[in-house]
């Protein structure tokens, strides 16, 4: 069995390399958060840093550790699913040669462990190199030059613990995907590998996870009377913290429900766009038909835009609410630097996952563009079609990101009046525009650039290459 695992790993390394950036970024983010947290706590315990000055150093890394774990679980599940889909034919041939479902699962899980460990080494090196600059940035973000920079603690155990957490997340997400792949009959798996693809359906685990997330959201809203019954100076602060947490929980909920949401939502809004080119109709219909593939790209974009816009909208709404209540107070540590410290690492994970997903699907896209060339599309149209697909991904992700933000802001809209505090909605539309433009640029680049090489090759050769794999 060991020889089989090694052979499969050698055959699949190129597929894992496509999503390797996501695994490296997840390990980097978790290790960096753990090291920064240890450095901050040591500085507080040693007296180098006063407790009332330690929020950015001791709390933000812990918050990032939690957020990165949640977002990392979403990204790893998607990345593993893409690799398994690309290896569908190999796994089917393995089953046809006599391997049991358990052996198929163990093959995939062993690959996950190796990939996670290798990526953790790269991520740890980057985390150690970034630790001291990050600690300096965290103190700079406070805007107070009197706060000392805590000494960087280059201990091994925080990064090892973070790596084990990343491996655990990978194995948890990968086991579900591997079990799903092992239960598909080999002949059906070969049919899917030839181009039909696999359906990203709502499983029992997805329903259970979505139900738990929904219970958390409903429970948070239901707890507002208890949270605001006895107002203190911390009441509004607690509401803000819960609102930020709901942003993450809603992201998890929408990612779990994505198989139900992405296809119909995309079909609905793209139908409203006037058809100015036959290639648009082709791209739109392909995106809707292959909603499972579209979902894997939309979810990371949704998370990235939702975190950026939602967090900034929460801060801006708090500032406007203070002014409406008669408090002429300018919030400190509420600018772009604060957004980076609070959500920079989760955003990095989401973007890495999105880029990896689009790169992994480039071979299917090459074949689709070649087929469109066979039926008569021009070279210019074949360049424009990936741009259209990237735009569809960005717009659908933005719509779902607005839902994320609405749930978080809605909690403030209910909680502030209950706490006898003014509520003044002030979403940062400029931040939404910047987030959408950045996501659109990254998505279009990751969609278009991998296809340029195949556009210079004869269409039959491109199609034959995908069939051969």
């Amino acid at each position: 069995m060991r020889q089989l695992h090694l052979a499969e790993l050698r055959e699949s390394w190129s597929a894992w390399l496509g999503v390797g950036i996501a695994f490296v970024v997840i390990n980097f983010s978790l290790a960096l958060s753990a090291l920064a947290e240890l450095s901050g706590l040591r500085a507080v315990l040693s007296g180098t840093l006063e407790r009332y000055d330690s929020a950015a150093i001791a709390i933000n890394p812990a918050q990032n550790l939690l957020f990165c774990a949640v977002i990392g679980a979403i990204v790893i599940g998607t990345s593993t699913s893409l690799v398994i889909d690309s290896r569908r034919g190999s796994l089917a041939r393995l089953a046809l040669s006599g391997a049991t479902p358990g052996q198929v699962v163990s093959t995939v899980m062993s690959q996950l462990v190796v990939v996670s460990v290798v990526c953790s080494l790269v991520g740890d090196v980057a985390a150690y190199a970034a630790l001291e600059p990050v600690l300096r940035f965290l103190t700079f973000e406070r805007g107070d030059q009197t706060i000392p920079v805590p000494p960087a603690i280059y201990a091994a155990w925080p990064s090892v613990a973070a790596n084990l957490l990343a491996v655990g997340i990978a194995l948890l997400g990968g086991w579900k995907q591997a079990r799903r792949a092992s239960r598909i009959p080999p002949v059906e798996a070969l049919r899917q590998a030839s181009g039909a693809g696999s359906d990203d359906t709502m499983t029992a685990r997805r329903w259970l996870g979505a139900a738990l997330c929904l219970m958390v959201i409903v429970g948070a809203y239901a707890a507002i009377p208890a949270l605001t019954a006895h107002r203190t100076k911390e009441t509004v602060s607690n509401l803000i913290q819960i609102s930020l947490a709901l942003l993450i929980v809603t992201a998890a909920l929408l990612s779990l429900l994505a198989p139900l949401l992405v296809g119909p939502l995309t079909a609905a809004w793209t139908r409203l766009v006037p058809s100015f080119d036959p290639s648009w109709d082709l791209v739109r219909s392909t995106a809707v038909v292959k909603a499972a593939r579209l979902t894997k790209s939309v979810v990371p974009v949704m998370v990235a835009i939702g975190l950026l816009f939602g967090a900034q909208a929460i801060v801006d709404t708090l500032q406007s609410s203070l002014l409406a209540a008669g408090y002429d107070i300018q919030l400190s540590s509420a600018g772009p630097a604060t957004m980076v410290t609070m959500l920079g690492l989760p955003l990095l994970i989401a973007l890495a996952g999105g880029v990896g997903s689009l790169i992994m699907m480039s071979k299917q896209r090459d074949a689709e563009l070649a087929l469109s060339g066979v039926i008569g599309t021009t070279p210019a149209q074949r360049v424009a079609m990936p741009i259209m697909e990237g735009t569809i991904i960005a717009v659908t992700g933005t719509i779902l990101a607005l839902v994320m933000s609405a749930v978080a802001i809605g909690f403030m809209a209910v909680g502030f009046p209950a706490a006898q505090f003014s509520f003044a909605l002030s979403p940062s539309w400029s931040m939404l525009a910047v987030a959408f433009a950045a996501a659109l640029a990254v998505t279009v680049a990751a969609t278009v650039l991998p296809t340029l090489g195949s556009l210079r090759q004869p269409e039959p050769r491109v199609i034959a290459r995908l069939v051969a794999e």
Side-chain angles (χ1 to χ4, degrees):
M1 198 64 187
R2 177 173 170 271
Q3 288 79 7
L4 178 62
H5 287 175
L6 290 175
E8 279 296 311
L9 182 61
R10 284 193 298 269
E11 289 294 322
S12 64
W13 73 268
S14 59
W16 287 111
L17 187 63
V19 297
I21 183 175
F23 282 82
V24 170
V25 170
I26 290 168
N27 279 279
F28 163 76
S29 301
L30 293 174
L32 181 59
S33 298
L35 290 168
E37 178 68 16
L38 177 64
S39 300
L41 290 177
R42 289 276 182 88
V44 173
L45 294 175
S46 66
T48 305
L49 191 65
E50 297 294 337
R51 291 185 181 274
Y52 55 79
D53 289 331
S54 65
I57 307 298
I59 296 178
N60 279 347
Q63 178 177 280
N64 267 284
L65 195 61
L66 176 61
F67 288 175
C68 288
V70 174
I71 303 302
I74 297 172
V75 170
I76 282 179
T78 300
S79 299
T80 305
S81 174
L82 286 170
V83 174
I84 290 176
D85 286 346
S86 71
R87 299 288 298 165
R88 186 78 67 190
S90 175
L91 295 177
R93 289 188 290 271
L94 192 63
L96 286 173
S97 65
T100 65
Q103 289 173 325
V104 173
V105 171
S106 67
T107 299
V108 175
M109 300 301 278
S110 65
Q111 293 174 19
L112 264 175
V113 171
V114 173
V115 171
S116 297
V117 170
V118 171
C119 291
S120 70
L121 297 177
V122 180
D124 287 351
V125 172
Y128 283 118
L131 178 58
E132 187 170 348
V134 165
L135 292 175
R136 291 185 180 277
F137 182 80
L138 288 173
T139 53
F140 159 79
E141 183 265 335
R142 293 288 95 182
D144 188 349
Q145 302 301 319
T146 63
I147 299 177
V149 178
I153 306 297
Y154 295 98
W157 69 265
S159 59
V160 172
N163 297 154
L164 292 175
L165 175 60
V167 171
I169 292 173
L171 291 179
L172 183 63
W175 183 82
K176 178 183 67 174
Q177 301 296 337
R179 287 280 293 175
R180 179 172 62 85
S182 68
R183 291 173 177 174
I184 298 175
V187 176
E188 173 64 15
L190 286 173
R191 184 191 68 82
Q192 293 180 0
S194 66
S198 62
D199 293 328
D200 193 5
T201 57
M202 289 298 297
T203 62
R205 290 179 180 273
R206 277 185 177 272
W207 283 115
L208 179 60
L212 290 175
C213 291
L214 188 59
M215 287 173 60
V216 171
I217 295 172
V218 173
Y221 274 81
I224 288 177
L227 293 170
T228 58
H230 304 285
R231 180 182 171 184
T232 67
K233 63 178 182 179
E234 299 296 331
T235 299
V236 172
S237 176
N238 292 336
L239 293 175
I240 294 297
Q241 293 297 325
I242 295 173
S243 181
L244 284 170
L246 286 181
L247 200 61
I248 303 295
V249 175
T250 308
L253 173 64
L254 293 177
S255 68
L256 290 167
L257 295 177
L260 295 178
L261 300 176
V262 171
L265 176 62
T266 303
W269 80 259
T270 54
R271 196 177 294 115
L272 300 176
V273 178
S275 179
F276 56 89
D277 191 324
S279 57
W280 166 255
D281 293 327
L282 182 59
V283 172
R284 188 190 76 83
S285 59
T286 301
V288 174
V289 169
K290 297 195 173 183
R293 188 181 79 178
L294 180 69
T295 298
K296 294 178 175 65
S297 302
V298 166
V299 168
V301 173
M302 172 199 74
V303 172
I305 296 178
L307 289 179
L308 266 178
F309 173 66
Q312 190 63 57
I314 289 172
V315 173
D316 290 347
T317 297
L318 175 59
Q319 180 71 73
S320 298
S321 299
L322 286 170
L323 294 175
Y327 299 101
D328 190 9
I329 301 174
Q330 290 297 319
L331 295 175
S332 62
S333 304
T338 304
M339 294 301 102
V340 171
T341 60
M342 290 173 56
L343 299 171
L345 292 177
L347 279 170
L348 191 62
I349 293 174
L351 289 175
V355 171
S357 298
L358 290 170
I359 292 175
M360 276 296 298
M361 291 180 286
S362 61
K363 291 182 180 179
Q364 292 183 17
R365 193 174 293 110
D366 290 345
E368 291 167 4
L369 292 175
L371 285 171
S372 70
V374 171
I375 64 175
T377 56
T378 65
Q381 287 175 320
R382 274 176 278 160
V383 173
M385 287 169 68
I387 298 177
M388 295 175 188
E389 183 181 352
T391 303
I392 289 175
I393 292 169
V395 173
T396 303
T398 301
I399 295 172
L400 292 173
L402 291 174
V403 176
M404 280 177 57
S405 304
V407 172
I409 297 296
F411 181 81
M412 295 172 62
V414 177
F416 277 18
Q420 298 179 351
F421 191 79
S422 299
F423 174 78
L425 179 64
S426 180
S428 177
W429 300 117
S430 60
M431 175 61 78
L432 179 62
V434 169
F436 173 76
L440 179 63
V442 171
T443 303
V444 168
T447 306
V448 175
L449 295 180
T451 66
L452 295 180
S454 65
L455 292 177
R456 294 191 291 267
Q457 300 178 12
E459 289 85 355
R461 180 182 299 176
V462 176
I463 298 170
R465 184 179 61 192
L466 180 66
V467 173
E469 295 177 354

